[in-house]
Amino acid sequence: MPRTMTETQREERRFETEVSQLLHLMVHALYSNREIFLRELISNAADACDKLRFEALASPGIIVQPGELHIDVSFDREKREIRVSDNGVGMSRDEVVENIGTIARSGTKQFLNRLTGDQQKDALLIGQFGVGFYSSFTVADRVTLETRRADAPEDAAVRWESDGTGSYTLENTSRAEPGTEVILHLKEDADEFLEAYRLRHIITRYSDHVSFPIRMPKLDDEGKPTDEWETVNRASALWTRAKGDITDEEYREFYKHVAHDFEDPAAWVHSHVEGKQQYTTLFYVPKRAPFDLWDRDQRHGVKLYVKRVFIMDDAEKMLPSYLRFVRGVVDSSDLPLNVSREILQSNRLVDGIRSGSVKKILGLLESIAEKEPEKYAEIWTQFGRVLKEGPGEDYGNREQIARLLRFASTHNSDDTQNVSLADYKARMKEGQKAIYVVTADNPAAARNSPHLEIFRKHGIEVLLLSDRVDEWLLSHLDQFDGTPIKSVAKGDLDLGDLVDKDAEGKDAEGEDKAKEALGDLPERIGRTLGDRVETVRASQRLVESPACIVLGEHEMALYLQELMKQAGQQTFGSKPVLEVNPTHPLVQRLKAADGAEFDDLATLLFEQALLTEGGQLDDPSGFVSRLNRLLLKAA
């Protein structure tokens, strides 16, 4: 709880436990790469300048843009201080509490649960989380921040101060100019950062692309700072430069700036479009998925600029949701400077930029998949489940997205998702008319599904789908390159000549005789199960299992129906079909049984098939009682 200290609204607040833990871990994990603190502070300052420029356009009577927006970096060797200041938008007291650093956002506890205790691995995870303002504590034992919002009076400034351990203080202060200044009180072992050449080197390495002047005091002939400021960086928007003039290192550093990531990107694509529309895009595919990729409340997207003027962060309308992992910038020459999120939702210029951007990104991924399959495998591991949302969201690019999909398969001995639909088609047997898939709640359940028995027996490949999104995917992707995609667990199964050419010499005639031998058993089982099943029939799918559940062609898998019920969603599934294996000993035993024993066996047969498909039993205790009665008889 905050504790008010004086009437000047000075208060002390404690960090949340998770934030304190993360601060401690971050300071130690990032110790070997401490120089990035300056990159992060300059990046935050550049964002503040961007936002001021936009707010001055949106509210010209309230916020006045200064003649030049800039970022200043200076140091004082005697006081052991580094100062990073900007004349950007600044923050109010509430904004300081809410936005002081990316570390103080939702999901911290979830993130901490992923830490391993291995310092090297944790450093990568921390970079994935977002380093931000709190990287200052890698070099400073105390940090002071003073800020005044551009639309606030001089006496409405705020001072924030902390030693990065358990608490921080907030108090009101006065500040002549709007903007923010961060003062780092350096640790004893951080002397290297009290040198002008060291700070200049860091700025030119990490922040040369920042589109605002980054200034430092000019040095005299003896190398001492003077009162005159000089610009250290190029101060030109990187994405506006010709691709041939930009080095790979500059691309990588700009990614870390725009994405607030610690690692290099996996790939990027930069393009200038001219014609009816003029715009520039620079998109990056991160190396790792952000920890909040599945957080529905977290906004994802790209930064939108109009004529190099920043308009908004996370312009989600620029890319569809299934590409929410992509980072970068879009700079349009045609959109109005006062464009809003509402205008973006129904603007044909935006639709054109969005369409072109999607094609660029999908083209980049296709190129990597074709030329660098190992790199694409890493990208798929991170973002594959998100890309699987594509066919349902983006019908126009469905075929192109389908070429990017990867699945586990019975063709391989492990559960790695590395088989494309094109790979599968190239291996299809002569006369095979469909791409066969099976869905399940996990990889083991998919690989061991009884529906695969006939396919395994005849050497027919089946794709194994075990991600939660796979059912959604199949409902929107019913064919690939003209070949139907069919679930082996749904609808009727007709393998035609593929089964007739059985190497063991058992033909369809033998199966027909086995079905005939069942007599009225399907009807008897149906009467016992009542309205729990649509019908009972002899199976063409089963070789080793006694029974299986078969759903309708367009039915949702049972495990997914159960998940939706648990989430309070209504499902409209029809009654399943129970298929029995005519040659299985349990089915033969059932045929000879009658009375209560028949009812127990028939019900158990159905219930075990239901469990195999990921369904839930209505009466678990009844299942146990029936099983115990049969076990006692067999004992």
Side-chain angles (χ1 to χ4, degrees):
M1 291 291 292
R3 179 163 54 91
T4 301
M5 304 292 286
T6 72
E7 293 302 317
T8 61
Q9 291 191 317
R10 186 177 190 273
E11 59 180 336
E12 181 177 341
R13 297 186 178 212
R14 297 201 64 80
F15 289 122
E16 294 178 5
T17 304
E18 293 86 358
V19 175
S20 294
Q21 286 179 268
L22 192 52
L23 277 170
H24 177 78
L25 283 167
M26 186 185 72
V27 168
H28 291 87
L30 300 183
Y31 187 86
S32 61
N33 196 23
R34 296 196 293 176
E35 64 186 29
I36 56 93
F37 81 91
L38 190 55
R39 179 192 77 189
E40 293 299 312
L41 293 181
I42 288 174
S43 184
N44 289 345
D47 287 346
C49 291
D50 268 333
K51 288 171 182 173
L52 176 69
R53 190 157 59 173
F54 173 65
E55 289 197 22
L57 288 166
S59 309
I62 302 173
I63 294 178
V64 178
Q65 181 174 325
E68 181 188 57
L69 289 162
H70 55 80
I71 302 160
D72 292 344
V73 178
S74 62
F75 68 94
D76 186 318
R77 191 174 282 107
E78 292 182 5
K79 293 182 179 179
R80 301 185 57 76
E81 290 180 352
I82 292 177
R83 293 175 178 252
V84 180
S85 61
D86 65 74
N87 56 347
V89 72
M91 289 181 283
S92 66
R93 190 184 185 100
D94 289 341
E95 286 172 330
V96 169
V97 173
E98 184 179 357
N99 301 321
I100 190 64
T102 57
I103 223 168
R105 61 183 176 183
S106 64
T108 308
K109 189 170 185 178
Q110 172 196 348
F111 170 74
L112 279 169
N113 291 336
R114 294 176 56 183
L115 294 176
T116 63
D118 182 317
Q119 184 170 309
Q120 187 174 2
K121 291 179 180 177
D122 286 349
L124 295 178
L125 278 173
I126 287 166
Q128 180 186 345
F129 183 89
V131 179
F133 170 81
Y134 286 111
S135 61
S136 303
F137 290 106
T138 61
V139 297
D141 51 25
R142 183 164 53 94
V143 178
T144 304
L145 176 142
E146 293 186 357
T147 184
R148 172 190 152 197
R149 214 178 188 287
D151 56 359
E154 289 187 23
D155 59 357
V158 182
R159 178 184 290 117
W160 178 100
E161 190 167 83
S162 175
D163 60 4
T165 54
S167 63
Y168 61 91
T169 60
L170 276 172
E171 63 180 311
N172 291 350
T173 187
S174 294
R175 184 177 169 87
E177 300 294 333
T180 301
E181 182 172 42
V182 180
I183 307 163
L184 308 181
H185 309 274
L186 296 192
K187 297 177 179 178
E188 290 297 326
D189 63 353
D191 285 355
E192 62 178 295
F193 301 109
L194 291 172
E195 299 290 344
Y197 77 90
R198 183 74 169 101
L199 296 178
R200 286 168 182 260
H201 173 73
I202 296 171
I203 292 169
T204 54
R205 179 181 178 187
Y206 292 117
S207 306
D208 198 44
H209 52 74
V210 171
S211 56
F212 300 99
I214 302 173
R215 308 186 312 181
M216 286 190 68
K218 194 170 185 178
L219 303 178
D220 61 20
D221 294 338
E222 297 179 5
K224 295 181 179 179
T226 66
D227 294 333
E228 185 181 351
W229 294 91
E230 66 176 345
T231 300
V232 180
N233 65 326
R234 290 195 195 184
S236 64
L238 177 134
W239 64 88
T240 63
R241 291 158 51 189
K243 288 185 280 187
D245 296 337
I246 307 172
T247 66
D248 286 353
E249 185 62 26
E250 287 177 312
Y251 274 123
R252 293 188 189 102
E253 293 308 329
F254 181 70
Y255 164 75
K256 292 171 185 175
H257 163 76
V258 78
H260 293 282
D261 198 351
F262 188 69
E263 289 189 273
D264 290 336
W268 61 84
V269 58
H270 185 191
S271 61
H272 300 279
V273 177
E274 296 183 356
K276 290 184 179 179
Q277 282 183 267
Q278 292 188 16
Y279 62 92
T280 299
T281 59
L282 174 53
F283 295 122
Y284 292 92
V285 177
K287 190 170 286 186
R288 298 176 194 275
F291 83 101
D292 55 1
L293 185 63
W294 302 100
D295 183 353
R296 290 181 176 273
D297 297 327
Q298 181 63 29
R299 305 187 74 150
H300 303 280
V302 298
K303 291 178 180 286
L304 174 63
Y305 289 78
V306 174
K307 302 179 183 72
R308 282 178 282 181
V309 176
F310 171 78
I311 300 299
M312 66 184 72
D313 275 314
D314 300 329
E316 67 275 7
K317 296 302 173 185
M318 288 294 159
L319 291 177
S321 178
Y322 72 93
L323 293 177
R324 61 183 175 272
F325 58 88
V326 173
R327 295 291 181 264
V329 298
V330 174
D331 191 345
S332 170
S333 298
D334 302 313
L335 289 170
L337 282 170
N338 64 346
V339 67
S340 65
R341 292 189 184 275
E342 290 71 28
I343 294 174
L344 285 179
Q345 291 174 5
S346 56
N347 187 297
R348 63 178 183 80
L349 295 174
V350 172
D351 292 340
I353 295 172
R354 176 185 170 113
S355 176
S357 298
V358 169
K359 291 187 182 301
K360 279 290 179 185
I361 295 166
L362 295 181
L364 171 66
L365 293 174
E366 273 193 305
S367 176
I368 296 171
E370 180 183 348
K371 298 174 183 176
E372 302 175 89
E374 291 183 2
K375 178 190 277 191
Y376 186 73
E378 294 173 359
I379 292 173
W380 178 261
T381 299
Q382 297 294 321
F383 306 112
R385 285 187 297 161
V386 183
L387 282 172
K388 285 181 177 181
E389 298 172 9
E393 290 182 23
D394 189 357
Y395 187 85
N397 291 303
R398 187 174 58 159
E399 280 288 330
Q400 191 172 9
I401 300 167
R403 289 196 291 271
L404 295 169
L405 302 179
R406 298 293 184 268
F407 305 97
S409 169
T410 56
H411 180 75
N412 300 328
S413 58
D414 61 21
D415 297 316
T416 305
Q417 295 184 11
N418 58 6
V419 176
S420 69
L421 293 172
D423 293 336
Y424 182 100
K425 279 201 68 172
R427 291 195 292 261
M428 281 173 53
K429 285 181 168 290
E430 185 180 348
Q432 186 175 337
K433 298 175 182 176
I435 296 170
Y436 293 108
V437 303
V438 65
T439 59
D441 195 24
N442 59 72
R447 188 169 289 278
N448 298 317
S449 171
H451 295 282
L452 299 181
E453 292 175 0
I454 190 69
F455 293 88
R456 192 174 286 116
K457 176 181 176 181
H458 293 284
I460 303 169
E461 183 177 2
V462 179
L463 298 177
L464 308 173
L465 281 60
S466 57
D467 290 332
R468 295 281 169 86
V469 71
D470 285 331
E471 280 286 325
W472 160 266
L473 169 66
L474 291 180
S475 68
H476 294 89
L477 188 67
D478 56 2
Q479 62 86 31
F480 172 73
D481 196 21
T483 303
I485 298 175
K486 181 171 174 54
S487 170
V488 301
K490 297 179 182 180
D492 295 328
L493 183 65
D494 180 14
L495 295 179
D497 294 341
L498 295 176
V499 171
D500 291 341
K501 296 175 181 178
D502 186 358
E504 297 178 11
K506 293 181 182 178
D507 56 18
E509 183 180 348
E511 292 180 2
D512 290 340
K513 288 180 180 177
K515 294 173 188 175
E516 289 175 10
L518 283 178
D520 65 347
L521 182 61
E523 289 77 14
R524 292 171 63 196
I525 296 173
R527 285 195 293 272
T528 296
L529 298 177
D531 60 3
R532 298 175 73 180
V533 295
E534 180 68 31
T535 188
V536 181
R537 66 191 182 200
S539 179
Q540 299 179 40
R541 293 172 166 85
L542 301 175
V543 176
E544 299 171 354
S545 301
C548 68
I549 292 291
V550 178
L551 301 176
E553 194 77 46
H554 304 291
E555 284 291 302
M556 186 186 300
L558 292 182
Y559 72 87
L560 201 56
Q561 291 185 34
E562 292 299 331
L563 282 174
M564 293 189 69
K565 287 176 186 175
Q566 292 170 18
Q569 300 291 320
Q570 190 173 4
T571 60
F572 299 94
S574 61
K575 291 180 286 187
V577 171
L578 178 67
E579 288 192 354
V580 296
N581 181 355
T583 61
H584 196 279
L586 270 180
V587 176
Q588 296 297 320
R589 165 85 179 273
L590 183 60
K591 186 178 177 184
D594 56 19
E597 183 185 9
F598 179 89
D599 291 344
D600 279 351
L601 272 172
T603 305
L604 276 174
L605 209 63
F606 169 75
E607 289 175 332
Q608 70 174 17
L610 195 69
L611 288 172
T612 302
E613 290 302 304
Q616 295 288 322
L617 300 179
D618 294 331
D619 181 14
S621 60
F623 170 77
V624 173
S625 297
R626 282 185 287 275
L627 186 60
N628 286 342
R629 284 197 294 270
L630 290 170
L631 287 173
L632 286 171
K633 282 186 180 182

